[in-house]
Amino acid sequence: SSDLFISIGCAWANCEVAAEHFGYSIKSEILPEDEIEDVAVKITCTKAKTAKKNDLFAAITERKTNRFPHTSEELSQQIISLCTGQMFDQNMSVHIINDAVRKKAAADIAADVAEFVYADPVFKKELQEWLRPVSTKEKDGIALFDAGVPAKI
């Protein structure tokens, strides 16, 4: 699902925020397609001269997720500014889509990407290794509750 891809991007950004918080600089590089086998991104950490404080670090340890429906209220300008001001890569950007036609087009693209990625057995194997039971106490992975699996079947 598109949520999985968003989660991977969020995890990547969280690593960058945490690394800076603990005094490391992080460099990430998306590998060219012909070099990809089991790894698509090369991440290098080096000790920085000083730690870089970032207000987002606290959000990593306090984060909670669920599968409740999204609210229909529009994002405030403050939240939009916060999101667009936290780009780690100059090649990335945030676009807020409000009209139904563009939302549908974005959803169709996400569905096409999901279909393509799930056809890859290496991707499916990696995903399976990160799935956790609904009752998990693990701090990593994807709890099956987040995938819509109820506590009791």
Side-chain angles (χ1 to χ4, degrees):
S1 74
S2 62
D3 294 338
L4 178 60
F5 301 110
I6 292 169
S7 295
I8 291 168
C10 291
W12 188 349
N14 285 346
C15 288
E16 291 178 338
V17 169
E20 289 177 349
H21 176 83
F22 289 109
Y24 290 87
S25 66
I26 190 165
K27 179 183 176 200
S28 44
E29 170 190 1
I30 299 173
L31 299 175
E33 211 169 308
D34 60 340
E35 292 181 28
I36 295 174
E37 289 182 26
D38 291 341
V39 177
V41 179
K42 178 181 177 182
I43 299 173
T44 308
C45 280
T46 54
K47 189 71 175 157
K49 293 179 183 175
T50 59
K52 182 178 175 184
K53 297 302 174 198
N54 187 321
D55 292 340
L56 290 176
F57 181 75
I60 294 172
T61 58
E62 297 170 11
R63 180 179 168 268
K64 294 177 178 49
T65 57
N66 60 49
R67 289 288 183 192
F68 300 146
H70 295 288
T71 63
S72 60
E73 66 190 59
E74 291 191 24
L75 296 174
S76 71
Q77 189 58 48
Q78 179 184 9
I79 290 174
I80 292 171
S81 296
L82 178 64
C83 291
T84 57
Q86 294 297 324
M87 293 292 104
F88 297 102
D89 185 330
Q90 292 177 350
N91 295 318
M92 297 170 59
S93 60
V94 173
H95 298 273
I96 307 300
I97 300 172
N98 290 319
D99 67 272
V101 173
R102 290 178 61 199
K103 282 183 183 179
K104 168 98 172 68
D108 289 346
I109 291 169
D112 290 346
V113 169
E115 184 177 329
F116 175 79
V117 171
Y118 281 112
D120 181 353
V122 173
F123 176 82
K124 286 195 284 194
K125 182 178 183 299
E126 174 75 14
L127 176 61
Q128 289 171 347
E129 291 175 10
W130 286 99
L131 293 177
R132 304 290 183 253
V134 173
S135 60
T136 187
K137 300 288 185 211
E138 297 291 327
K139 299 289 185 192
D140 68 357
I142 304 166
L144 290 176
F145 170 79
D146 289 340
V149 177
K152 294 187 179 185
I153 299 178

